[in-house]
Amino acid sequence: MLKTNIDNIANPSSGLIIIGILKGYLKHPKSFFIKTILTFKKFKKSIEMDLPKEFINSSGLIAWLYIRLKKEVGKEKAFEIIRATILCSGLAVQQANFRNVEAERTFKNLVKYQKRVKNEGTTKLNKMEIIEETESKYVYKVTKCMFYEFFKYLKVPELTTIMCSIDNAIFNTYSPEKITFHHDGINNRMVDGARECMFVIENNES
């Protein structure tokens, strides 16, 4: 039986999740996704940014899926399909990253694993600065977001907001009765035009 622990986290099958969501919107979701995978190699060759292979494979595939969907169903519908798709798969991945199964859901653990995810996952490419860390509040800012820079480079900057939605989903579902997450007001993200992205996590039990 497969078991996970603090150091051996789960690896959700994003491909199956994506196909499952696409089934609700496309007539031939499997063939569309397979063709996306097969043509992705050529798309990757056009990317001239110096980024880790893992990042390009994950974020680049999202962009390529979106670009292909726009031709299939139009920009507005393609965006909403990608939002539904990536939000589900991204949340599954983040549930594993934050050890939601393996560790008790506490404010202390949320802060602990947020820091660890910063060094483990694709977000390690971002630049983060901790502003405040107490028993009641954890505040940090991201001064460089590779998702924003990457999607802007590919001329699909709107996809950045979907990645932000994954942050909202994981932090707001971690322990909603005990922990509150927000961006310290509106328009406090680079995708909104701000110079940095603010993240505020509050412990309502302190």
Side-chain angles (χ1 to χ4, degrees):
M1 181 178 178
L2 177 64
K3 295 192 180 208
T4 65
N5 54 48
I6 298 301
D7 295 309
N8 181 36
I9 63 173
N11 184 22
S13 179
S14 296
L16 291 176
I17 295 173
I18 291 172
I19 291 174
I21 299 297
L22 290 177
K23 280 183 178 180
Y25 304 100
L26 301 178
K27 289 184 179 180
H28 305 289
K30 288 183 181 179
S31 61
F32 182 85
F33 185 64
I34 290 172
K35 190 170 182 180
T36 299
I37 296 296
L38 293 176
T39 55
F40 181 50
K41 185 176 180 179
K42 182 178 179 180
F43 177 72
K44 283 196 295 184
K45 289 182 179 180
S46 68
I47 299 173
E48 297 181 349
M49 294 184 76
D50 184 19
L51 293 167
K53 181 179 178 181
E54 177 190 2
F55 184 89
I56 291 179
N57 283 340
S58 58
S59 300
L61 182 59
I62 292 171
W64 183 230
L65 185 65
Y66 174 57
I67 291 168
R68 293 197 68 238
L69 274 171
K70 285 197 293 182
K71 295 179 181 179
E72 191 84 7
V73 298
K75 182 177 179 179
E76 185 175 339
K77 191 171 183 180
F79 180 82
E80 292 304 329
I81 292 174
I82 289 293
R83 190 208 297 269
T85 303
I86 301 308
L87 186 56
C88 289
S89 61
L91 180 57
V93 170
Q94 288 291 59
Q95 291 269 357
N97 287 337
F98 280 82
R99 281 69 169 179
N100 285 14
V101 174
E102 294 79 20
E104 183 182 1
R105 297 193 192 195
T106 64
F107 177 78
K108 184 176 180 180
N109 276 342
L110 177 57
V111 172
K112 174 183 177 180
Y113 291 116
Q114 188 282 324
K115 292 179 180 178
R116 189 162 176 175
V117 167
K118 171 64 182 68
N119 296 319
E120 290 178 337
T122 53
T123 55
K124 65 187 176 185
L125 299 174
N126 295 342
K127 288 185 179 179
M128 186 191 94
E129 179 183 337
I130 297 174
I131 305 300
E132 179 181 346
E133 184 176 354
T134 65
E135 291 184 358
S136 60
K137 184 181 287 188
Y138 178 58
V139 182
Y140 67 94
K141 64 181 180 180
V142 172
T143 56
K144 180 179 181 180
C145 174
M146 283 312 304
F147 294 107
Y148 177 58
E149 292 188 12
F150 183 63
F151 290 137
K152 186 168 63 172
Y153 167 81
L154 294 177
K155 295 182 172 50
V156 287
E158 62 270 24
L159 290 183
T160 310
T161 61
I162 295 177
M163 308 310 290
C164 295
S165 295
I166 297 174
D167 289 330
N168 292 335
I170 185 63
F171 287 128
N172 283 315
T173 60
Y174 184 84
S175 185
E177 298 83 7
K178 302 175 182 178
I179 297 170
T180 301
F181 167 72
H182 56 88
H183 287 290
D184 195 28
I186 61 173
N187 298 326
N188 277 338
R189 304 174 304 176
M190 279 178 270
V191 72
D192 301 316
R195 294 180 60 184
E196 55 206 19
C197 300
M198 294 298 301
F199 292 76
V200 181
I201 302 170
E202 298 181 89
N203 182 6
N204 297 327
E205 291 191 312
S206 62

